[in-house]
Amino acid sequence: MKRFSFFLLAGFLSVGASYAQGLDALTEKAFQSEKEKSDKAITDEKASVKPKTWMDRAKTYENIATQAIKLDSNAATVAYDAYKKVVELDKDKKTGGPGKMAKEAEEAMKGQTLFQAFMNSGIYKYQAKNFKDAAALMSRAGEINPKDTTAALYAGIFTQNTEKPSDAKAHFERYIENGGKDQSVYTTLVSLYYQDKEIEKALATIDKGIATLPNSKDLATQKTSILVTSGKMDDAIAVLKGQLAKDPNNVNHLLTLASLYGDKNNKGTEELSKLMSSAKKGPNATKQLSEEKVVLKESQNELTRLTARAKKEPKNADVKNQIARVNQMIADSKTKITGLEKEVAEQAQASAAAGNQEQKIAELTKQVEESRVASKDYYTKALAADPNNFDANFNLGAAYFNEAVQIRKQLEMMDMKDYQTKGKEIEGQVCGKFKQALPYFEKAKSVKDTDQDLNDNLTNLQNILKQFEEKKIPCVESK
């Protein structure tokens, strides 16, 4: 998980230290004396029930927290609790409501001085690596002044170091609501939501960030990444196209788009293969089921015949063995029939849900082709912007190589009759795709000749093309 490392912390977090170091011995002695006096007063039976005792204590500890924090790192909390005690004790004798001193305490509990006291205490605890208390103190500062961005920011930062780092989300949200514009807050909050699998909140936060910081490349990149990893491929493509409209020669955007379309092509090809296999599977299963039922019927008839014979020849061991074998055949047929019936039912259900399967195959074939072309187009555009880009050259070569492999699968599925009709033509297409891959692999090697995957692919490709040459098969190149 990402954690903050703000350069602006340096100046702000030094506040507590500078107060502590800046005290001269006389001033420190005075604060210590006031502290001891207050601590003693609240133990006195008569003084401890007087609102003024607690008001004096509140102000004493408030001053310690803002000016001499090293005397008591919990001074802000002591001051806050003392103000609460004033409110508890000081009642108007006529109305029963808050007295004058109580009202003053209530105002002080919402005031800038106590706010600063909690800020200082939180910073001091943070410097001492007491992250839990630091986060709690800074959170209280935010409650005193809920519109302050600094308290929200540091409460979020400090909370990230506690046992529940995801609790920082509320503080960062408040920072943003209060008008904070630090990009790191947005990217960190997005990461917190994403890590907790709150994808929609992560995306909504990015959109807020982009609206506030429209020129932020980091936020746009983060959005694309989350969309891709969340399976929102089309949305990611739309975001990248929007970015390319502003920066058409951005090689990183072009490569990412090419990769996304390549992934779409791979996914679509796999889905298409399953769909076409499923389309062929139903009729075969139906035919096999019908044939197996015939086998079962014949086995059952044979069992009837053998059973009758066994009654006539009860001591015939061979007949008994034949009966055992036929019973096993019947059991096997019934098991097979059960599986085939399930397969046929699933196929029928799939066909009904899919509707016109041929139309679906046609649509998916079109989508796969569009993705294939788009992927190569974006790699080509990336090369136009940066001809020596290794990734663009390697991946474009790999795209042509993989197309050749896909086309070659058609040859593997052909019988001799089909091969004699169109086999040579398809071999020419396979050779053409392999040949188109060659210059991109060679260019990639000229850029970086230490890549093992590239060297292996290039050697393999050269051997394949040599085989086509030896067979005198002409290479037919196409887009």
Side-chain angles (χ1 to χ4, degrees):
M1 180 190 68
K2 181 176 180 180
R3 294 189 184 277
F4 274 99
S5 180
F6 286 112
F7 69 88
L8 52 95
L9 271 172
F12 196 81
L13 295 185
S14 65
V15 172
S18 63
Y19 276 130
Q21 294 167 0
L23 284 175
D24 56 43
L26 186 62
T27 304
E28 184 175 342
K29 186 176 180 180
F31 276 121
Q32 182 64 39
S33 175
E34 289 297 314
K35 179 180 183 300
E36 291 172 357
K37 180 180 176 182
S38 176
D39 293 344
K40 183 177 180 181
I42 63 169
T43 62
D44 182 89
E45 186 176 346
K46 293 182 179 179
S48 64
V49 295
K50 296 179 179 180
K52 187 176 184 307
T53 300
W54 292 96
M55 179 62 83
D56 289 344
R57 180 176 180 78
K59 291 181 178 179
T60 293
Y61 273 87
E62 196 174 56
N63 288 332
I64 291 172
T66 55
Q67 301 176 55
I69 189 66
K70 77 171 187 177
L71 291 180
D72 190 335
S73 62
N74 296 312
T77 301
V78 175
Y80 183 82
D81 290 341
Y83 278 129
K84 285 175 64 177
K85 193 71 175 178
V86 173
V87 174
E88 178 188 326
L89 294 174
D90 186 40
K91 303 294 182 183
D92 186 285
K93 293 180 180 179
K94 292 182 180 179
T95 64
K100 182 178 179 181
M101 201 174 293
K103 291 178 181 178
E104 181 184 343
E106 288 177 341
E107 287 300 311
M109 291 169 70
K110 298 181 290 183
Q112 183 64 24
T113 304
L114 190 61
F115 166 76
Q116 189 62 55
F118 274 105
M119 291 283 283
N120 281 11
S121 295
I123 293 166
Y124 193 82
K125 292 283 189 180
Y126 182 83
Q127 290 172 327
K129 301 190 183 303
N130 185 342
F131 302 125
K132 184 178 179 180
D133 285 354
L137 289 163
M138 201 59 71
S139 296
R140 179 58 59 83
E143 292 170 7
I144 294 172
N145 187 354
K147 295 297 182 181
D148 184 79
T149 55
T150 305
L153 174 62
Y154 291 114
I157 296 171
F158 296 172
T159 303
Q160 279 192 284
N161 291 279
T162 64
E163 294 175 356
K164 295 182 179 180
S166 63
D167 289 351
K169 290 183 288 191
H171 300 300
F172 290 139
E173 283 284 11
R174 192 170 77 250
Y175 170 85
I176 291 171
E177 289 170 9
N178 289 346
K181 296 182 179 181
D182 193 297
Q183 177 181 271
S184 296
V185 175
Y186 283 100
T187 56
T188 301
L189 181 56
V190 169
S191 297
L192 289 169
Y193 279 131
Y194 183 74
Q195 125 186 326
D196 289 343
K197 296 182 172 55
E198 297 176 278
I199 305 303
E200 295 307 318
K201 286 186 177 181
L203 292 172
T205 301
I206 291 177
D207 288 339
K208 284 182 188 176
I210 291 175
T212 304
L213 306 163
N215 296 320
S216 171
K217 294 181 179 179
D218 288 346
L219 285 168
T221 300
Q222 194 176 30
K223 181 173 185 178
T224 303
S225 176
I226 289 177
L227 288 171
V228 170
T229 56
S230 303
K232 300 176 183 290
M233 198 78 74
D234 290 336
D235 291 338
I237 288 173
V239 169
L240 278 167
K241 284 184 175 179
Q243 291 176 276
L244 269 181
K246 301 175 184 177
D247 187 7
N249 292 320
N250 188 304
V251 175
N252 287 332
H253 294 340
L254 290 167
L255 289 174
T256 304
L257 269 171
S259 177
L260 291 179
Y261 274 113
D263 289 342
K264 282 192 72 174
N265 175 58
N266 294 337
K267 185 178 179 181
T269 300
E270 183 179 345
E271 187 179 345
L272 184 61
S273 177
K274 289 179 180 178
L275 194 61
M276 293 177 75
S277 175
S278 176
K280 294 176 182 178
K281 189 176 179 181
N284 289 338
T286 303
K287 182 181 178 182
Q288 290 172 20
L289 177 61
S290 177
E291 292 172 350
E292 195 59 39
K293 285 182 177 180
V294 171
V295 171
L296 176 62
K297 183 66 176 175
E298 290 175 349
S299 298
Q300 289 171 333
N301 290 339
E302 179 65 8
L303 180 63
T304 300
R305 186 186 69 79
L306 288 170
T307 302
R309 184 179 171 186
K311 288 180 180 179
K312 295 178 181 179
E313 306 172 27
K315 295 182 179 181
N316 191 325
D318 184 54
V319 171
K320 290 181 180 179
N321 290 334
Q322 289 183 55
I323 289 174
R325 284 196 297 270
V326 171
N327 275 324
Q328 185 60 51
M329 290 172 61
I330 289 172
D332 290 344
S333 284
K334 286 181 178 179
T335 300
K336 194 172 182 179
I337 286 170
T338 299
L340 287 168
E341 285 176 340
K342 183 180 178 182
E343 195 172 311
V344 170
E346 287 175 351
Q347 179 59 36
Q349 186 178 4
S351 296
N356 188 334
Q357 201 168 36
E358 288 186 4
Q359 182 179 350
K360 189 172 181 180
I361 288 173
E363 291 174 353
L364 190 54
T365 300
K366 182 181 177 183
Q367 291 171 13
V368 167
E369 176 63 12
E370 289 173 348
S371 296
R372 181 187 71 81
V373 172
S375 179
K376 291 199 299 187
D377 281 350
Y378 280 111
Y379 279 129
T380 302
K381 288 177 181 178
L383 286 177
D386 181 8
N388 293 319
N389 187 281
F390 175 84
D391 290 330
N393 278 291
F394 179 86
N395 288 321
L396 191 50
Y400 280 113
F401 188 99
N402 291 334
E403 283 179 29
V405 172
Q406 286 296 323
I407 297 172
R408 190 164 61 180
K409 287 181 179 180
Q410 297 178 36
L411 292 171
E412 297 170 358
M413 298 171 64
M414 286 182 179
D415 55 27
M416 184 57 67
K417 183 179 178 181
D418 286 338
Y419 182 81
Q420 289 175 345
T421 304
K422 51 188 177 182
K424 292 291 184 182
E425 178 185 346
I426 293 177
E427 279 196 347
Q429 294 173 10
V430 173
C431 179
K433 292 296 180 183
F434 279 131
K435 188 175 180 180
Q436 284 174 285
L438 183 61
Y440 297 106
F441 281 156
E442 289 176 335
K443 180 63 175 178
K445 184 175 177 63
S446 73
V447 176
K448 183 168 65 175
D449 63 1
T450 57
D451 189 282
Q452 192 58 49
D453 286 340
L454 169 62
N455 290 328
D456 290 345
N457 285 339
L458 183 55
T459 300
N460 188 25
L461 177 58
Q462 289 168 338
N463 290 333
I464 290 171
L465 289 173
K466 186 177 180 181
Q467 291 172 17
F468 277 108
E469 186 178 351
E470 290 171 350
K471 293 179 181 178
K472 301 188 183 307
I473 295 174
C475 297
V476 181
E477 297 183 19
S478 60
K479 185 174 179 181

